Amino acid sequence: MEVGGGGKHFVLVHGVCHGAWCWYKAATALRCAGHRATALDMAGCGAHPARLDDVRTFEEYSRPLLDAMAALPAGEQVVLVAHSHGGYSVALAVERFPDKVAAAVFVTAS
């Protein structure tokens, strides 16, 4: 889910047994402060169409974040925010897309 304009662009990555829904309060607060907020469902979680049993690798699990990072326009940088297990996916995204990351924030994350 993404709404809002101006400010910084925050990409919010949930932890184990969660989905994008867990960021609704944080995303709302960021948007009210004039930022963009994108909360993603990792593969097999939340409203993502993949069944968890069909997600065989960590890269498949992280694919929604990796695809979102790849789709960013040239020159755009985001602030990645990870909770719990989402820290692993954010670390992977930082490694793969260092030029598209303004900062990475690990909130009680791995």
Side-chain angles (χ1 to χ4, degrees):
M1 70 184 143
E2 180 179 340
V3 180
K8 299 204 179 299
H9 184 179
F10 291 82
V11 177
L12 310 169
V13 182
H14 64 80
V16 171
C17 301
H18 289 126
W21 55 266
C22 73
W23 291 107
Y24 78 95
K25 286 184 180 180
T28 299
L30 288 166
R31 292 176 186 132
C32 287
H35 301 291
R36 291 174 57 204
T38 302
L40 301 170
D41 282 314
M42 296 292 99
C45 299
H48 191 277
R51 289 175 26 105
L52 189 55
D53 293 343
D54 297 330
V55 180
R56 306 241 182 251
T57 68
F58 175 67
E59 183 152 346
E60 287 177 17
Y61 174 80
S62 301
R63 180 60 42 206
L65 174 59
L66 299 176
D67 289 348
M69 295 298 291
L72 289 171
E76 182 175 349
Q77 290 190 316
V78 297
V79 177
L80 295 173
V81 182
H83 174 250
S84 180
H85 188 268
Y88 293 115
S89 297
V90 165
L92 178 61
V94 169
E95 181 178 286
R96 297 252 177 106
F97 302 96
D99 56 322
K100 294 185 177 192
V101 178
V105 180
F106 296 82
V107 182
T108 62
S110 302

